Amino acid sequence: MEHVDRCVVLVDAGYLLGAAASLLAGEPARSRITVDHAALIQQLRERAEADTRLPLLRIYWFDGAPDRVPQPEHRRLRVMPRVTVRLGALTRSDGRWAQKGVDAAMHTELTELARNRACSDIVLVTGDGDLLPGLMSAKEHGVAVHLWAVQAADGDYNQSEDLVAEADERSVLDRAWITRAVRAKDLTGLCAPPPAPRPEIAAILSAPLPESALAASAERAAASAAAAAHNSASGSAGVASADAARSGGRTGEPAGGAGAPASAGSRGVPTPKDLAGLRAPASAPPPTGATLRWSSDKGWIDRPPAALGEPAETASLPTLAQLTSAEQRWADREEDITTVGGDPYEVGQVFARRWLDRLPEAGHVPQLATMYPRIPHRIDGELLRYAARFGLLAHKDDQIDEHDRYAIRAGFWREIDVHAAVQHAPAPEDARGTP
């Protein structure tokens, strides 16, 4: 049985991207680089076909992931043509991450491809000497093995010398080749400007409220003050606790946290005095039948049985799931896999954009704005469940990191702000003063 005249590429992503980070950013941490995976895959295909003078059968991408759960980059890669992703485990020991099972998976694939005569040439992008037995086995089955190295930052080898000695052909992916698809994140690298910094959450929450929100806040404060007076007279206790101090975490603190300027109220953010009627004393016991909400609300909230636990002001707001058809759900999943990077702030924006695009009534947006900065718990829970798709759950905790939660919600509110600004923007004729 003759070998089929085609080539296969086996990529050790840990080696390729770690060596690229060392070359461009001075250290092997992959967090120091940004990767255009579509461009990188295309480059690998073109280089392999040029070096072997054979058509490509497939690119195998070997990488590690916590609990072997695909990360955003893996989801994007595995839907690309001629790309197969194989994941090993990523474990943390002594403060450092280590891959488990990746070398064994590469060895198995290498020997099986050669034994089954699936190709005549195999390109290995790796530096690990543990693959030496697999490389030798492939050669014994008549396969030509091409070993590719990433240019080393110090000019020396970053591959096993035994692996280099056994390869049939060796090639180096130099700095110019790497930087066509990989960029360093800092200015000391060779590459483009660093990405825009993530907006501070305190700045998002201290942005001016719409006039409608201010009016509604004043009305709620007055109503709460009256209710508090009535409850005090009748002996009942318990009032709703506002979420405007979420980032500070202490009763009576403005939304911007401990460092918020004293003039925050002048920018439209409710001051401690404004919110006094909305907060319960720290020592107040929970009211009978109240439930602690885990979402963006904070404190004990009375849930009327008639509303099945849903506050009246949010009962009419539909969730994204209610607004999404089966066809849209499929399209959303396709977009998540292929284009959404998984940054927490971006995730919040994407969710909000879809929700806004599908709202049947424009009046829902002003209604939501009156609740700023609190996201209704049904929508907030759905938002966090959506974010969990992108590998944002803390390891072994099944929870999203608190900073990531702030970023997700900040992205949601920023998209709401943008939408509201577009809706209230003057028409071109008005801007020119034309009647």
Side-chain angles (χ1 to χ4, degrees), residues 43 147 165 181 192 245 251 323 331 340 349 361 374 389:
Q43 287 179 224
L147 183 65
T251 301
L323 299 170
V340 180
Q349 287 183 300
E361 300 176 21
R374 179 178 61 84
R389 297 183 191 175

Side-chain angles (χ1 to χ4, degrees), residues 113-128:
L113 287 167
R115 184 181 297 114
N116 294 324
R117 302 180 180 273
C119 57
S120 58
D121 290 63
I122 291 179
V123 175
L124 282 179
V125 186
T126 186
D128 198 332

Side-chain angles (χ1 to χ4, degrees), residues 207-222:
L209 282 168
E211 291 183 7
S212 59
L214 292 174
S217 178
E219 290 175 4
R220 288 199 302 274

Side-chain angles (χ1 to χ4, degrees), residues 160-242:
S160 160
E161 291 189 17
D162 291 335
L163 208 61
V164 171
E166 282 292 333
D168 294 304
E169 304 283 348
R170 185 171 185 264
S171 182
V172 176
L173 307 177
D174 61 17
R175 181 186 291 266
W177 190 93
I178 292 293
T179 53
R180 287 164 58 192
V182 183
R183 296 286 184 270
K185 286 185 178 178
D186 61 342
L187 294 176
T188 60
L190 174 69
C191 315
R198 178 185 296 169
E200 291 294 330
I201 307 309
I204 297 292
L205 297 181
S206 64
L209 282 168
E211 291 183 7
S212 59
L214 292 174
S217 178
E219 290 175 4
R220 288 199 302 274
S224 297
H230 175 75
N231 290 341
S232 176
S234 62
S236 60
V239 291
S241 176

